[in-house]
Amino acid sequence: MKISLTVNGEACEVDVSNNTLLVDILRTHLGLTGTHVGCDTSQCGACTVHVDGRAIKACTVIAPQADGMNVTTIEGIGTPDDLHPMQEAFRECHALQCGFCTPGMIMQAIDLVENNDNLDNRSIREGLEGNLCRCTGYHNIVRAIQSVADGG
Amino acid sequence: MYQFNYHKPESVGEARSLFQDADDPMYLSGGMTLIPTMKQRLAAPTDLIDLSGIPEMTGIDVSGGKVTIGAFTPHNLVADSAQVRGTLPVLAEVAGLIGDNQVRNRGTIGGSVANSDPAADYPAAVVGLGADVVTESRTISGDDFFKDLFETELKPGEIITKIEFPVPTRAAYRKFPNPASRYAVVGVLIADFDGTIRVGVTGAGPCAFRASGIEEVLNDNLDPAALDGVEVPDAGFNSDLHASAEYRAHLVKVMAKRALEDLLNG
């Protein structure tokens, strides 16, 4: 089936089978490999992208559902020369070890900060329930998100 | 995931007739359980009927002493709704405790309730608050809705369109979440309707149920200490690698006590 969707502000059309996952459309068909596949069972959050500004897991959306969606991936939030404030904070706080979970962490962190006031250590950790860091490097991730939530 | 035919009806009636004409169809709501299940090939419907294109199935209405949630309404819309928080805060709290943020942005109340997962949160609210589950053809009392593990009163092809929650004087929900999945190992919702107590339990048994023994005790004496002497029988309770039936029975009492403390202090 042909589906049309907007990815990082650009209109895209792909011809895929019904059972293709959104994450595979992004990675395989559109070449946006910043969105990762970790567990492929909707637990780890490495595939987190934004749909209409809210974080979702791209491994748990099938192609026909993605038709007409407005998707933002990690590639769409900043550039190497002009990082998104959350990317800048992750760099500043060294909020990554192997980096595999980082794109999903950043996408979820942006949703968290945009949709919650008065974030503290506990609420940030609870907000990361759907994202796993297999290096267990949560401490600096929480620090990075806290710094953005605090406005700097 | 096996191949399937995909349909996106624009009305409940169209969805029903698509269901009738298909070989082995399933309705798709948020897909937070169904899609992972299909990926594991534990479900292989010939036809998926996507309910996302039916506008009247999404939305929140607070009127006539009731809070009505459209079946396709995602959990975060309920959790963040100022109307729900103002009128029936316990429902917003239950919604906000489901899964994780990404799941709450996609998963829907109708999907959760129709699935009757033994560890889902919403069923505790449906039972504990005595909600009405409304389908295209009838209204099913929350007391009669959940039948067994993944089994409900719904007939094949029947679609939940909305769920109507009565507003209690006060209510509270406490759950003991599985630390990995956030599913309820046990969750207890206690509601006080002008002195009449209802207690809904999820996670403990094959499906959500009313804890009538606890209700009886609390109707006589609305005091957490009154629960000390209550026996929660574990017959038929779930027993798995997360918790034994005996431990779940213990948790029912502990969560009920904590929920009651919240209710009294709320």
Side-chain angles (χ1 to χ4, degrees):
Chain A
M1 73 181 300
K2 277 206 170 69
I3 69 158
S4 310
L5 67 169
T6 305
V7 180
N8 301 330
E10 273 181 50
C12 311
E13 194 170 275
V14 291
D15 194 358
V16 294
S17 60
N18 274 349
N19 56 0
T20 309
L21 302 171
L22 173 58
V23 71
D24 293 323
I25 294 175
L26 296 172
R27 288 178 55 85
T28 309
H29 296 267
L30 300 176
L32 296 169
T33 53
T35 303
H36 290 168
V37 179
C39 67
D40 200 21
T41 53
S42 48
Q43 296 175 66
C44 79
C47 65
T48 300
V49 298
H50 290 181
V51 170
D52 296 328
R54 295 304 303 258
I56 61 122
K57 292 176 180 175
C59 79
T60 315
V61 173
I62 50 173
Q65 290 179 305
D67 194 26
M69 268 184 179
N70 182 12
V71 181
T72 306
T73 69
I74 189 76
E75 290 92 344
I77 61 165
T79 65
D81 296 329
D82 183 20
L83 294 176
H84 185 281
M86 191 63 76
Q87 292 173 307
E88 187 61 51
F90 268 59
R91 184 169 74 172
E92 191 60 33
C93 297
H94 192 65
L96 68 161
Q97 291 181 39
C98 84
F100 194 86
C101 72
T102 311
M105 284 284 181
I106 287 176
M107 298 311 280
Q108 166 54 16
I110 293 171
D111 178 307
L112 189 64
V113 170
E114 281 178 359
N115 291 291
N116 295 278
D117 298 325
N118 307 321
L119 285 168
D120 58 15
N121 188 294
R122 188 191 167 118
S123 51
I124 291 171
R125 284 175 185 272
E126 283 175 355
L128 295 177
E129 271 164 3
N131 294 76
L132 301 178
C133 168
R134 62 185 176 180
C135 311
T136 69
Y138 295 100
H139 182 78
N140 284 350
I141 293 172
V142 174
R143 221 158 55 84
I145 298 170
Q146 185 75 66
S147 78
V148 176
D150 293 346
Chain B
M1 195 188 309
Y2 290 114
Q3 266 294 354
F4 51 86
N5 302 308
Y6 174 82
H7 314 273
K8 192 171 172 182
E10 287 171 7
S11 70
V12 174
E14 191 191 345
R16 287 262 2 198
S17 59
L18 284 164
F19 193 97
Q20 222 132 37
D21 296 342
D23 191 18
D24 186 12
M26 282 184 93
Y27 291 122
L28 172 65
S29 192
M32 294 296 95
T33 299
L34 181 55
I35 293 173
T37 310
M38 289 173 67
K39 285 167 76 174
Q40 292 178 69
R41 297 184 170 179
L42 294 170
T46 57
D47 293 72
L48 271 190
I49 302 166
D50 184 350
L51 301 176
S52 70
I54 306 173
E56 67 267 26
M57 279 179 62
T58 304
I60 295 168
D61 177 68
V62 178
S63 59
K66 280 187 302 197
V67 173
T68 304
I69 313 287
F72 198 77
T73 310
H75 309 323
N76 263 346
L77 223 58
V78 177
D80 297 340
S81 159
Q83 272 185 306
V84 178
R85 283 174 173 274
T87 312
L88 187 53
V90 73
L91 190 65
E93 197 190 324
V94 169
L97 289 170
I98 297 170
D100 55 53
N101 180 55
Q102 293 96 315
V103 166
R104 291 192 295 272
N105 281 331
R106 293 285 294 167
T108 68
I109 189 168
S112 166
V113 170
N115 192 41
S116 185
D117 188 299
D121 293 283
Y122 266 138
V126 169
V127 172
L129 293 167
D132 280 332
V133 180
V134 181
T135 75
E136 82 287 357
S137 57
R138 58 178 172 150
T139 297
I140 305 167
S141 153
D143 284 345
D144 303 329
F145 186 79
F146 300 103
K147 290 297 179 198
D148 207 339
L149 194 72
F150 301 112
E151 272 186 41
T152 69
E153 178 64 22
L154 292 172
K155 296 195 172 74
E158 196 171 6
I159 300 171
I160 300 176
T161 54
K162 58 186 177 181
I163 299 176
E164 297 176 344
F165 293 92
V167 178
T169 320
R170 49 190 176 164
Y173 178 65
R174 273 298 189 110
K175 81 162 165 177
F176 189 88
N178 177 306
S181 70
R182 318 311 286 178
Y183 270 114
V185 178
V186 164
V188 177
L189 187 142
I190 303 185
D192 174 4
F193 287 89
D194 287 328
T196 304
I197 303 299
R198 292 182 65 104
V199 179
V201 177
T202 191
C207 63
F209 63 92
R210 277 176 77 179
S212 42
I214 294 178
E215 287 180 359
E216 258 173 54
V217 170
L218 295 183
N219 275 322
D220 285 343
N221 183 8
L222 198 58
D223 182 343
L227 291 171
D228 288 338
V230 175
E231 280 289 318
V232 179
D234 64 10
F237 274 14
N238 305 324
S239 201
D240 53 31
L241 78 165
H242 304 299
S244 66
E246 186 189 6
Y247 183 52
R248 279 188 162 88
H250 174 71
L251 280 178
V252 169
K253 205 155 127 174
V254 175
M255 292 302 115
K257 217 167 168 175
R258 290 182 189 171
L260 183 59
E261 281 162 3
D262 287 352
L263 181 144
L264 294 171
N265 296 329

